[in-house]
Amino acid sequence: MRKKLVVGNWKLHGSLVENEKLLDEIATQLKDLRNIDCGVCLPYPYLFQAQRKLANTSILWGAQNVSQFLAGAYTSSVSAKMIADFGCSFAIVGHSERRSYSHESNQKAVIRIKRAVDAGITPIYCVGETLAEYGLGQTKKIIEAQILAIFGLDAITLSRAKAVGLVVAYEPVWAIGTGHAAQPAQAQMVHHFIRALIAQHDADFAEKVRIIYGGSLTPVNACSLLIMPDIDGGLVGHSALNALTFKAICEMAAHTHELCEGISCD
Ligand code: PGA
């Protein structure tokens, strides 16, 4: 049984003052949640704040990216070792906003996966098709290339990725920030496809890997997605900026069967 995981992706939001409040609210709202892993990924400058505020809670924190470089003359880069200094559990890798604004390729994303796992950090590897690709019926082809890139990593890195519990986030680009989440059956189909692709290389890893869904996840649609057998949690953007909506999604993930039984899967 895979433990569900819900991670808030704060993107380019927040300030010292706002974060102080939101982190306090999240810590209070989530303090009684059990049987689930919850976390938030903040902009780099505020990682120290998460470390200070969340250190004595069960809430984890992480960064929204990690450099492909270890160290050296790479102005503006932030290494895996640096984010590890701030107690990060996670680093998001290959988010579609990075892929589109910074032309991040699958190859670069998997180097970032390597940097993260070498530093003991769990990568949350984002995959997903654009609206145009979806329209052309290319979803599986795109996802396949994104997932198979992981298996280009060397054996030691792959075993480290397993050890730190690499997470895959399926985020259809057309669902991110649009208010139109994927239909549960469609998302389940892709999650199952991802698990099957991983199983072709490593059946044990495929059973254990958490594949979370992202893209306009809200308290209104979370139940119908989280109840799907291959959806192991969520990567939450907009709804993670409010402690109550974030809590509602985390609760549904923690108690899916009690709270979501009978929800329509259409
Ligand atoms: P959204 O963002 O929930 O605001 O759609 C999700 C993400 O980009 O990770």
Side-chain angles (χ1 to χ4, degrees), residues 9 11 95 97 171 175-177 215-217 235-238:
N9 173 11
K11 307 193 182 186
H95 190 282
E97 286 151 14
E171 298 206 304
I176 296 176
S216 296
L217 200 59
L235 184 56
V236 188
H238 185 74

Side-chain angles (χ1 to χ4, degrees), residues 28-105:
T28 306
Q29 293 294 336
L30 302 189
K31 74 175 186 324
D32 296 325
L33 274 188
R34 303 279 175 274
N35 306 321
I36 181 169
D37 291 326
C38 293
V40 289
C41 288
L42 303 85
Y44 294 131
Y46 301 121
L47 291 176
F48 81 95
Q49 225 181 345
Q51 185 178 34
R52 185 162 53 74
K53 287 269 168 197
L54 302 177
N56 295 320
T57 73
S58 59
I59 304 164
L60 305 167
W61 61 94
Q64 296 172 17
N65 199 5
V66 64
S67 175
Q68 61 185 305
F69 303 112
L70 282 171
Y74 302 106
T75 302
S76 95
S77 298
V78 176
S79 73
K81 199 160 162 277
M82 290 172 181
I83 66 170
D85 269 349
F86 290 91
C88 286
S89 294
F90 304 112
I92 297 173
V93 169
H95 190 282
S96 70
E97 286 151 14
R98 299 287 315 168
R99 289 180 188 266
S100 72
Y101 304 135
S102 302
H103 309 290
E104 187 151 311
S105 61

Side-chain angles (χ1 to χ4, degrees), residues 92-167:
I92 297 173
V93 169
H95 190 282
S96 70
E97 286 151 14
R98 299 287 315 168
R99 289 180 188 266
S100 72
Y101 304 135
S102 302
H103 309 290
E104 187 151 311
S105 61
N106 291 335
Q107 284 64 33
K108 269 197 196 144
V110 296
I111 298 172
R112 295 180 203 276
I113 290 179
K114 175 171 169 51
R115 297 301 180 217
V117 303
D118 286 350
I121 288 169
T122 300
I124 300 177
Y125 177 50
C126 299
V127 299
E129 79 286 6
T130 64
L131 183 61
E133 290 158 351
Y134 176 70
L136 290 168
Q138 294 177 338
T139 300
K140 285 188 171 175
K141 187 176 136 215
I142 297 297
I143 300 286
E144 183 168 12
Q146 292 170 333
I147 293 295
L148 293 187
I150 304 173
F151 293 97
L153 287 166
D154 59 276
I156 292 173
T157 305
L158 279 173
S159 76
R160 283 189 185 143
K162 273 175 82 172
V164 298
L166 172 116
V167 173

